[in-house]
Amino acid sequence: DLQEEEADLEELAEVSEQSTTDSLYVDDNGVLHIKEGVTLSGTITIPTEAVEIPEGLFKGANIEKVTTEAGSKLITIGNEAFSGCKKLTSVSLRNVTIIGNGAFYDCSNLNFVQGPNLENIGDQAFADCVKLESISLGKVKTIGSKAFSNCKSLTDNVLDMSSAENPWELQYIGDSAFFNCTGFKILN
């Protein structure tokens, strides 16, 4: 029926115009969720009260930018949370300390990550982010295996282990963590 189709189209238009606050919710444990039937795109602002983005939540979504607000409580990004988000270009993670395995795997347009408080970066967390040019490593303690493998554009970083002013408390770098990152430098 034509009226039903028009009503469905109007409903779809309303959903696509919703802000992220209308599209996302945080449960009692601080875990972020996407409301049922919502398709996200563009810029995502993570609600302040979210503590965790669970495994695979935004996997393959058409989002372009992820931000957190001042006062954000977000500390954990789960495994594969953003993997395969091909349009994602930048991520700001104010208080995040843990990035899970494959969290940003194959985000082929990701070029900038700001994470001043990062401590643990999981295996293949940024693998195959071929346009990643810059990442703020924060006070990183562990970098997992193949965490940045094939990040061929990663050139704005130097991990200086010899400096007395070294802000990092690096304890572990996994196998092939920077494989095929020809412009990245580790000094010791």
Side-chain angles (χ1 to χ4, degrees):
D1 169 62
L2 189 57
Q3 282 183 321
E4 284 179 23
E5 285 181 36
E6 286 176 356
D8 288 344
L9 286 174
E10 284 178 30
E11 190 176 308
L12 272 173
E14 286 174 19
V15 168
S16 66
E17 290 174 12
Q18 287 179 334
S19 71
T20 19
T21 3
D22 295 335
S23 304
L24 303 172
Y25 70 95
V26 179
D27 68 20
D28 293 340
N29 295 317
V31 179
L32 186 65
H33 299 276
I34 301 172
K35 290 184 180 175
E36 194 172 325
V38 172
T39 302
L40 298 172
S41 61
T43 298
I44 300 294
T45 301
I46 305 300
T48 305
E49 64 276 9
V51 175
E52 175 185 351
I53 296 174
E55 183 172 335
L57 183 65
F58 297 107
K59 189 174 185 174
N62 286 321
I63 54 179
E64 297 169 15
K65 186 175 179 182
V66 177
T67 62
T68 53
E69 297 174 342
S72 172
K73 296 177 184 173
L74 184 65
I75 56 169
T76 303
I77 295 180
N79 297 343
E80 299 182 5
F82 294 94
S83 74
C85 290
K86 303 283 188 186
K87 293 183 178 183
L88 186 60
T89 59
S90 72
V91 178
S92 174
L93 308 167
R94 294 175 193 266
N95 295 319
V96 172
T97 58
I98 301 167
I99 294 181
N101 297 337
F104 294 94
Y105 174 81
D106 196 26
C107 292
S108 54
N109 281 301
L110 184 62
N111 61 26
F112 177 74
V113 175
Q114 181 181 20
N117 294 301
L118 287 178
E119 292 181 7
N120 300 300
I121 299 171
D123 296 345
Q124 295 185 323
F126 295 96
D128 293 339
C129 294
V130 295
K131 292 187 180 176
L132 185 61
E133 295 174 2
S134 180
I135 183 165
S136 153
L137 290 174
K139 298 172 183 171
V140 69
K141 292 178 183 174
T142 62
I143 298 174
S145 298
K146 299 182 181 178
F148 296 96
S149 68
N150 294 318
C151 293
K152 299 173 184 180
S153 299
L154 192 59
T155 57
D156 289 351
N157 296 82
V158 174
L159 185 55
D160 188 353
M161 302 302 295
S162 63
S163 170
E165 297 173 18
N166 180 3
W168 300 297
E169 299 173 20
L170 192 61
Q171 298 166 1
Y172 175 79
I173 298 178
D175 293 337
S176 302
F178 296 97
F179 175 76
N180 208 14
C181 298
T182 54
F184 189 83
K185 294 180 178 37
I186 300 176
L187 305 177
N188 52 8

